[in-house]
Every structure is written in C-alpha cells, then in structure tokens.
Amino acid sequence: MNLLNSIIVGVKEIWSHKFRSLLTMLGIILGVSSLVAMSALVKGMENGMKEALIAMGGLDKVLLEDQQVPPYQEQLSDQAVGRTIDDVHALERSAPLIRLVSPEMALRGATVSRAGKSVTPSELVGVWPAVLDMNLHVLQYGRFFTPLDEERASSVCVIGAGIRDELFGSPEETGREIVPLGQILNINGQPFTIVGMFEHYESERDRKEREWAKAHPQEKTNTGPARMRGWGRRGGWAFWRKNLTVYIPLNTMWVRFRSAAGAANIPDPHLTDIDLKVASLDQLEPALQQARNVLMLTHHGIEDFAFQTQENNVENINSAIHNARMSGGIIAAIGLIVGGIGIMNIMLASITERIREIGIRKAIGATFRDMFLQILVESVVIAILGGAAGLLASLGAVHVLQMIAPTENTPIITLPACVLAFASSVGIGVLAGLIPAFKAAKLDPIQALRYE
Amino acid sequence: MALVELRNVSKIYHLGGEEIRALDDVSLDIEAGEFISIIGPSGSGKSTLMHILGCLDTPTKGTIQIDGTMIQDATARQLAGIRNRKIGFVFQFFNLLPKLNVLQNVELPMVYGGLSARARRDRAMRALQMVDLENRSKHRPMQLSGGQQQRVAIARALVNDPKIVFADEPTGNLDSHTGEVILELLRKLSQEGRTIALVTHDPEIAAVTPRRIEIRDGKISRHIDPKLAGQPRVEPVGVSV
C-alpha cells in the first residue's frame, strides 16, 4: 500500500471519530498555541527592552569617561589634562573608525523656570549638533543650533517635550499641543530663547496606555487636592529622562556657566562627557583601540580616561530574553509532551478496539509495514491537524492577551516560532505513533482474527 | 506437481510446559481445481491446518509448497504477499470492515497489492457481479443480510484471482437456507475451475465436496477421494496420499 493510500485511510479513520479525534488534538492544539503565544509575548518584551536601549542612544554609542590615573602613572596625576575639546578635534581628525564624536558640557543641579513654575531637567547640557545623531533625538518643532549660535554663544535652547509639559502644560492637561517656540525661559536665572522642541518620546507601552486612557476616559473618583499618586514614573525611565532634556550650545555653556570654575580668567574647559559612535559594530574593538591611541597622544600618555559601552546592557537584555524564552519554552514543551501522550493513549485504545480489523487486513495481505504506516499516519495526521489548529488558535490567543492587557507591548508572532511549533507537533505525532503502530503491526493475524 | 504440497507437517504448541501437537506429521496434496473439504470437531487441528495452508502460520516441522513456492521458512512479509496474491479467505463471521462500503471492502486486497484505483474498481465490480451484488456496492456491510455479507466476503476472496480459496465454516453463522445458497455458490465457483477448500465440523456440509479429509487429534483419520478407486476408504493414520 502506498503512502497516499495510507494517508487517505488515516484521515478517514480520524473523520469517523470526529469528537474523539478533536479531544485528542486538543493537547497538541494547546501545546502549539501556548508555544507560539509565549514566543510572541517574549518577542514583544524584547522589543520593549530594545526600545529603551535605543532611547539611551543605541548600541553603537560609547561613552568616554574620566578615570583615575592608573597606579603606575600616579606621579603624573597632576599633569593629567582630562577630557577637553582638543580630544574631540583629534578624534574627528585621526580616528576614522569613530563615526561621530559629541562633546557635552553639563551643568548639574540646574533649575529651569518660567512664570513661577520651575523644573529640574534630567540634563542641562551644552552640545554640538552631533548630539542629535548621538542620542537619536528627533526635532519636531523649530530648529537646532547653527554654527552661528555656537560662534556667538547665543542664549538659545532646545527642550524636550517633558520640559514643555512642566512649564507650559502637557497636551493631556490643556487639551492641545503647546509649541513654545520663541518663548523665554530662565536657566539658573539667565534668560534663554526656546528655538526648538523634540518630539515626545515614549515606549510603545506608554503610548498604548495613553491612547487607552484617551479612549476610555475615566470619571475622576478621587477627592481632595490634586496630587501625584506615587513617586517617580512607572517604567519608561529612559524615555522620561530623555523628555526632560534641555540643550544649549556648547560655547554658551562654557562662557556662561563655567566661569566660576576656571583658572587664569579662562572658564573651565573640561568636558563632562565625550560620546562616540563607532562606524560599525563589528569593528567595535579596533575602533576603541584607535580612539585610545589618539587620546593617548592628546593626554601625553597619561591614561586618565576609560570607555564604557552598552555591551553589558545588551547582554542583560539578551539574558533576560533567554530566561523568559527558556521558562516559557519548557512550559510549552510540557504541554506538547502531554498532548503527545494523549495521542499515544488514544492510538493504543484505538488499536485495541480495532484488533479484529487489523487481523482482517493482515489476513488479506497487509504487511508489517502496511499496518505500521497506517497507524503511524493516523497519529501524524492528528498531530498535523492539531498543529495547524494550534497555529490558528495562537492567533486568537495573542488577540486575547492584547485584550486582557491592552497597555503591554504587543506580542509579535514570528515565523520561526510557528515553524518550530508546527515541526515539533509533527515530531511528537511520529513519536507518539511509534509504539501503537509497532504493537498493531506485530499482531499475530490468527490471534487478532479470534479476538472478540 | 500439485498446487499445494504438505509434507510431514507438525505444529507444536507449548502450553504451561506441556507439549500440544496441534498437527502431527500430516501430509496432503491439493491439486489445482479441486473442491475439497477438511472436516473435524473443534480442537481436532483442522483450523491449525487451514492456517498453515493459508499462510497465516508456519509449521514447526515439515515442508509446505504452494504454487511452486516453499513457504515453511518464509518471512512474515513474504507470507503476507502470498496471502494477498494466491490465497482468498472466507470466514464464518464474514469479517468485513464495517466502516468501508461493499466496494471498498472488495477492493481492500488490491489496495495492499498496489493496484491503481481504476483497476481496483473495475475488478471489484466484476467480482461483485460474480456474486450478484453489483447493485449493493455502495452499501455498508451492516445494511446487508448475513448471506449477502458472506457473498461480499466471497467476492473479496476472489478479487485477486487467487490460486486457492479457504472457506472456514462459511455457513456457520447463517440459517440453513442461506447456507445452502452459499454452498451452491461455492460449488458453482468450483465448477468454473476454482480451487476451493471448505473447512467445517459438519459432515453434511462437507458432503458437497467430492474429496473429504477428516482430521482428528492432529492427524488425518479418514480420507475420501473419488479419484482413488472411487470408493470411500479409511486411510491408515499419518500416511501421505
């Protein structure tokens, strides 16, 4: 008997026990759909984590930090120059593996105020336009700094949407988007003109929460004075921080806020940060080596600097994803195995009930192989149908997950997960069918024909 | 050379340390075209003999040759092939598959023989015509009377054009009138040149066949063969004929 016939016979057998076959498939359906839905959830989670990583400037961003002079150079520590704009120029000229250099001069503890309202920005930094690419900022309104702003040390600033929310009111509160271009705000008492504003950064989850809140306006049941309920912002720390940014031109920062710390009538030229972007992630190590060589020259051989990459963050994300995948995968695998045991159980019951049929088939010429294939095909067909139904069910399951938790990251069904789930259901069908098929095929026809 | 040649065949079972000789040194020839019955009470060994003749079982000792093939040492796979192509079975309980319709039941041996769907259909319809049931081809076995079911079983036994057909108590589950019809059908087939072996415990039924072999305690106790001098006679036990 050829394979096609076996398949037809198997399908007919399954069709003649529709309800029983459906129950048998249920295990596989649940196993496959939980495997696919689990992997979709983890994928959504992974996307959320990667979003935060990108909000912090992306994977290819490297921080150049100050460092204690190493012990063997301790006698030179008073000659250490620290990070200055010279380093930035030298890197731009001589380190081609570094794509982007962004100097930053920060003012800590600054207060930004306007019309009686004040806010402490997450960072108040003097920057070059390179910072846009470095920190992946998107300028939604106005302009960024021109060379002229830098040259003249103009009192202009570009703010994050969070600063606007605090000083002018957020769209949620005022019901409209306020664009404060041309307005004046005070930074530590000095007036600055707002020339640009970034877009509002938020994670997918926050966006969905916001939209959901908009679509489901809640009546205010709270009484008492208006207040923040709970400290800090739940989740989305990286986004919150990014929204509370205030940028001013680097030179402005230098001449206006660094005079107190300078020497010989020159404001303190030290940069608080030099951020680098490497040309390609594959070349991370050679690029860092190149940058180090350049900096060793500008620092007269004194190693008072160090690099900090996002590799650790990536590793953390990867290990968190790995763990989630492992635990979910194990649970789904147990589901599939239970489904497989269900198939085996039903197949064993089914051949016991069909011993006479097997005897008849063998008496009229079915070989071991014919019977083995017939039972195995039945089991595999059940598993395939169950697997296919499971894939459909997983679509529904993901939908349900989204309805239960509309503000979470969207689960994303991936093709590899579907292929894996389907393939393992077929594999389990084969494994579950082996023992029943073997038992059926090796039945003695005489005994089987006598069986009542 | 005879169609079936059984030489000194024994079948020995071991049951709880006790040796049971279900067949004890039996020799037998069946010629092509013969209509023969194997008679014996239950437990006499006639079923074991039929199983060995029908390639459902292999002997413990002795040789058996069917249509030129020695089968005492054949593998299960070879036996299945011989059952499929050279042997047809008709059983007491019809043994049709209830989930298949009449036509599919008759087609079943050809499915295992690997014929194309078209050829299977044509031959199955011809076999059903032989037993006068071609207009019931779409019925389920349960929708037919016992006699009709047995005729379907006969059609199934004949469909691969076997060398020999074994009918094991074919009337045992039928009323006497229907049984007559079935026996008449077997006789007709025999007259058309088929080789048929009828296995029964009932001497009256065995009477329809010219040649009769009686089995008792695993041995051939009596052998009636019209060709041998035309007279019924008692054979010495265990002597080959």
Side-chain angles (χ1 to χ4, degrees):
Chain A
M1 187 153 73
N2 62 31
L3 196 62
L4 184 69
N5 273 321
S6 304
I7 291 172
I8 293 169
V9 170
V11 171
K12 274 184 187 159
E13 187 60 36
I14 290 163
W15 189 244
S16 64
H17 298 107
K18 285 180 266 302
F19 188 61
R20 186 170 83 182
S21 304
L22 182 71
L23 285 181
T24 313
M25 276 175 217
L26 211 52
I28 292 288
I29 293 175
L30 288 177
V32 166
S33 57
S34 64
L35 183 65
V36 172
M38 180 279 310
S39 100
L41 266 186
V42 172
K43 185 76 192 166
M45 202 169 106
E46 187 181 356
N47 282 0
M49 287 175 161
K50 292 232 163 107
E51 248 183 350
L53 184 70
I54 287 168
M56 289 189 284
L59 190 52
D60 49 354
K61 180 173 166 183
V62 179
L63 305 183
L64 178 60
E65 310 245 295
D66 270 327
Q67 186 192 241
Q68 285 278 319
V69 176
Y72 65 92
Q73 292 181 326
E74 219 170 292
Q75 76 282 9
L76 300 171
S77 60
D78 57 340
Q79 294 172 45
V81 289
R83 291 164 302 166
T84 61
I85 204 74
D86 288 344
D87 296 333
V88 177
H89 290 306
L91 284 171
E92 282 192 327
R93 265 199 313 275
S94 311
L97 288 177
I98 304 292
R99 177 168 66 85
L100 194 66
V101 185
S102 169
E104 290 185 8
M105 196 178 272
L107 181 61
R108 301 198 200 285
T111 305
V112 177
S113 57
R114 178 191 167 274
K117 285 188 182 174
S118 73
V119 57
T120 303
S122 64
E123 48 176 5
L124 171 63
V125 194
V127 294
W128 283 2
V131 79
L132 289 181
D133 193 358
M134 179 62 64
N135 288 344
L136 303 175
H137 274 295
V138 181
L139 194 67
Q140 194 176 10
Y141 300 105
R143 62 172 177 89
F144 207 67
F145 310 132
T146 62
L148 203 61
D149 291 326
E150 180 70 19
E151 176 81 29
R152 294 174 47 189
S154 320
S155 291
V156 292
C157 65
V158 172
I159 60 170
I163 299 287
R164 185 268 322 263
D165 292 352
E166 300 286 341
L167 296 183
F168 299 88
S170 66
E172 282 76 32
E173 289 160 7
T174 60
R176 67 195 170 92
E177 174 109 31
I178 296 172
V179 183
L181 294 185
Q183 302 278 346
I184 310 271
L185 50 69
N186 294 317
I187 299 175
N188 280 3
Q190 302 196 40
F192 278 77
T193 309
I194 301 170
V195 294
M197 189 173 81
F198 296 124
E199 70 172 28
H200 180 70
Y201 304 110
E202 60 189 347
S203 64
E204 188 201 337
R205 188 174 151 169
D206 287 344
R207 180 179 58 74
K208 291 175 83 176
E209 229 164 43
R210 187 167 53 78
E211 283 170 0
W212 193 79
K214 209 169 167 185
H216 302 82
Q218 275 177 315
E219 284 165 32
K220 286 213 169 154
T221 53
N222 313 329
T223 52
R227 59 203 185 270
M228 286 273 283
R229 317 189 117 230
W231 281 268
R233 268 79 171 168
R234 190 165 65 80
W237 173 82
F239 297 94
W240 170 77
R241 184 177 173 277
K242 200 171 176 178
N243 281 328
L244 284 180
T245 298
V246 177
Y247 284 151
I248 63 177
L250 185 68
N251 260 339
T252 314
M253 177 62 84
W254 186 46
V255 299
R256 285 187 178 269
F257 294 104
R258 284 298 172 89
S259 311
N265 241 359
I266 298 172
D268 178 13
H270 284 117
L271 297 171
T272 33
D273 260 319
I274 298 178
D275 294 351
L276 313 174
K277 269 201 175 170
V278 296
S280 111
L281 262 185
D282 312 332
Q283 300 251 27
L284 182 65
E285 273 166 29
L288 292 183
Q289 187 59 52
Q290 199 173 54
R292 183 175 178 274
N293 292 345
V294 171
L295 292 170
M296 285 303 259
L297 275 177
T298 53
H299 288 236
H300 314 303
I302 301 171
E303 196 163 4
D304 59 347
F305 57 89
F307 299 104
Q308 191 188 338
T309 64
Q310 302 245 49
E311 286 166 301
N312 273 350
N313 283 335
V314 174
E315 266 167 33
N316 288 347
I317 289 180
N318 283 346
S319 78
I321 294 301
H322 180 77
N323 289 345
R325 210 168 261 162
M326 276 300 282
S327 47
I330 286 169
I331 290 168
I334 290 171
L336 276 174
I337 288 169
V338 170
I341 292 170
I343 292 187
M344 191 190 287
N345 199 3
I346 287 298
M347 292 313 294
L348 283 173
S350 158
I351 63 163
T352 307
E353 152 182 308
R354 284 150 64 193
I355 283 184
R356 219 182 153 80
E357 175 195 327
I358 293 164
I360 297 167
R361 286 181 184 271
K362 291 197 105 172
I364 62 174
T367 59
F368 180 93
R369 187 173 155 273
D370 291 328
M371 286 323 297
F372 189 82
L373 266 183
Q374 184 189 334
I375 303 298
L376 194 63
V377 159
E378 271 175 44
S379 149
V380 172
V381 167
I382 286 183
I384 286 178
L385 292 177
L391 289 184
L392 288 180
S394 66
L395 295 179
V398 165
H399 214 76
V400 169
L401 280 174
Q402 272 177 286
M403 289 206 324
I404 293 171
T407 60
E408 293 291 330
N409 284 308
T410 313
I412 295 159
I413 293 180
T414 56
L415 186 65
C418 293
V419 171
L420 175 74
F422 191 71
S424 40
S425 75
V426 174
I428 275 174
V430 173
L431 285 180
L434 284 178
I435 291 175
F438 186 75
K439 275 190 82 168
K442 80 176 189 357
L443 273 177
D444 176 25
I446 299 170
Q447 302 291 338
L449 278 172
R450 278 202 193 125
Y451 186 86
E452 292 296 329
Chain B
M1 192 178 65
L3 177 66
V4 178
E5 287 183 13
L6 218 58
R7 290 287 175 272
N8 308 101
V9 163
S10 298
K11 182 72 184 180
I12 300 164
Y13 295 109
H14 294 275
L15 208 67
E18 205 183 334
E19 193 183 88
I20 295 168
R21 287 180 171 263
L23 276 185
D24 193 0
D25 201 29
V26 171
S27 298
L28 174 68
D29 282 4
I30 300 174
E31 299 288 339
E34 266 193 299
F35 193 17
I36 178 175
S37 53
I38 299 166
I39 323 161
S42 71
S44 62
K46 68 177 191 306
S47 289
T48 308
L49 179 61
M50 191 202 81
H51 290 150
I52 287 175
L53 288 169
C55 295
L56 285 166
D57 207 352
T58 48
T60 316
K61 269 189 237 157
T63 63
I64 168 167
Q65 187 175 331
I66 294 179
D67 196 29
T69 316
M70 304 297 286
I71 63 157
Q72 67 273 11
D73 297 321
T75 62
R77 190 180 171 77
Q78 288 165 329
L79 289 179
I82 291 169
R83 286 200 296 273
N84 185 243
R85 291 187 308 275
K86 301 193 173 174
I87 293 168
F89 287 103
V90 178
F91 300 98
Q92 178 178 359
F93 297 106
F94 324 136
N95 280 349
L96 301 172
L97 297 188
K99 285 175 214 144
L100 305 182
N101 67 26
V102 164
L103 185 67
Q104 286 165 332
N105 263 293
V106 178
E107 280 183 357
L108 205 56
M110 295 182 287
V111 170
Y112 291 113
L115 263 74
S116 74
R118 199 193 174 83
R120 288 207 302 262
R121 215 190 131 73
D122 291 349
R123 281 173 62 171
M125 283 312 288
R126 244 179 291 146
L128 282 173
Q129 274 164 17
M130 268 190 260
V131 297
D132 261 347
L133 281 175
E134 67 270 28
N135 52 352
R136 298 292 167 96
S137 65
K138 297 293 176 202
H139 287 56
R140 293 287 166 114
M142 286 304 155
Q143 296 168 307
L144 302 181
S145 71
Q148 285 171 325
Q149 287 190 52
Q150 193 60 299
R151 274 147 66 196
V152 174
I154 290 171
R156 181 179 68 186
L158 294 176
V159 76
N160 258 351
D161 206 10
K163 297 287 178 193
I164 181 165
V165 173
F166 291 97
D168 185 7
E169 303 278 10
T171 60
N173 215 31
L174 301 171
D175 61 68
S176 58
H177 172 70
T178 319
E180 285 292 318
V181 174
I182 293 296
L183 288 177
E184 188 52 42
L185 177 61
L186 290 176
R187 184 158 44 208
K188 195 186 99 194
L189 291 169
S190 160
Q191 279 161 8
E192 286 168 7
R194 303 264 175 197
T195 313
I196 294 172
L198 187 63
V199 181
T200 180
H201 68 282
D202 186 348
E204 268 184 53
I205 291 166
V208 299
T209 68
R211 185 179 169 203
R212 270 161 269 168
I213 292 167
E214 246 183 77
I215 306 278
R216 209 169 278 271
D217 300 327
K219 294 185 165 82
I220 294 177
S221 61
R222 200 150 165 261
H223 193 158
I224 299 160
D225 190 345
K227 273 185 289 180
L228 299 174
Q231 262 100 53
R233 63 195 173 95
V234 178
E235 287 282 329
V237 161
V239 171
S240 65
V241 179

